[in-house]
Amino acid sequence: TSSGNNATGGDAMSVIGDILGSVIASNTELTVESLEGNWQYAAPACKFMSQDFLKSAGGDVVASQISNELAPTYAKLGFTSDNFAIKFDNAGGFVLTYSKLPLPGTATKAEASGYFTLDFLNIGTVAIVSTPAYFEVLGGKMVILFEADKFVNMFRSIVNTLGITSLNTIFELVDSYDGVLIGFELSKQQ
């Protein structure tokens, strides 16, 4: 359920924010098979870990505000529909493509909780980055969210290689909010 519609027209929160609300949903029933498909970047996404924080922080307005402020930074970082996509197979294997750079890995479900672990692989099965990720899937829309500091650390080496210096802006933006998750809204491709 949604806790309100504060999004406007082409707002970065877009339809999935209205459908799923600004607090991450409990995803104990979501499986790696649920992630299968080709997913293409649509917009920045921001949600909170708990309803308690959301109430104290000003509700959906804060999530919408953060997403709107992330949009220009994401554009500078190359997070666009032409430049960012992820393909999952039905066993949790994935390839995240960012700026033509394919980053393979595996997604596994944490049994007792609603999050997954994404292991980005280097050679063979050696993980170069392992991070918790929170997913919501509804029809042809997916949201992938990360704890803000882990998001920054995950993409820091990639954007440094590409010569992009805007990543700290994201961390500064969300640093004042505990329990904030940032990431991507994606659309399923046929």
Side-chain angles (χ1 to χ4, degrees):
T1 63
S2 175
S3 45
N5 181 0
N6 292 317
T8 60
D11 186 316
M13 285 297 286
S14 75
V15 177
I16 201 154
D18 294 337
I19 293 171
L20 299 174
S22 295
V23 176
I24 191 70
S26 173
N27 288 318
T28 53
E29 71 286 344
L30 197 63
T31 64
V32 292
E33 292 86 6
S34 307
L35 308 178
E36 183 178 11
N38 295 316
W39 302 90
Q40 187 174 22
Y41 176 84
C46 173
K47 294 201 179 218
F48 295 96
M49 293 293 289
S50 76
Q51 189 68 34
D52 292 339
F53 175 80
L54 191 60
K55 287 177 191 172
S56 69
D60 290 338
V61 174
V62 174
S64 182
Q65 218 171 22
I66 291 172
S67 290
N68 286 335
E69 291 181 36
L70 286 175
T73 302
Y74 273 25
K76 287 179 189 173
L77 292 171
F79 298 135
T80 65
S81 59
D82 294 334
N83 214 24
F84 188 87
I86 189 165
K87 180 179 181 176
F88 286 96
D89 65 29
N90 66 358
F94 69 84
V95 176
L96 185 149
T97 303
Y98 173 48
S99 193
K100 310 279 187 250
L101 179 64
L103 303 166
T106 58
T108 54
K109 178 78 182 271
E111 290 301 318
S113 66
Y115 74 89
F116 290 74
T117 299
L118 295 183
D119 292 312
F120 289 86
L121 305 178
N122 188 7
I123 299 170
T125 58
V126 177
I128 56 170
V129 173
S130 183
T131 186
Y134 303 83
F135 286 84
E136 291 181 349
V137 178
L138 183 63
K141 298 284 184 186
M142 173 190 281
V143 172
I144 304 175
L145 297 160
F146 306 92
E147 295 167 23
D149 58 337
K150 292 189 174 29
F151 177 91
V152 170
N153 289 336
M154 182 171 53
F155 286 99
R156 184 180 309 277
S157 61
I158 298 167
V159 297
N160 286 345
T161 300
L162 300 172
I164 301 168
T165 59
S166 305
L167 196 59
N168 286 335
T169 305
I170 294 174
F171 192 69
E172 291 165 8
L173 175 64
V174 298
D175 194 31
S176 59
Y177 299 106
D178 289 327
V180 68
L181 301 170
I182 60 172
F184 310 100
E185 176 186 329
L186 303 135
S187 297
K188 193 167 193 175
Q189 304 302 298
Q190 299 302 330

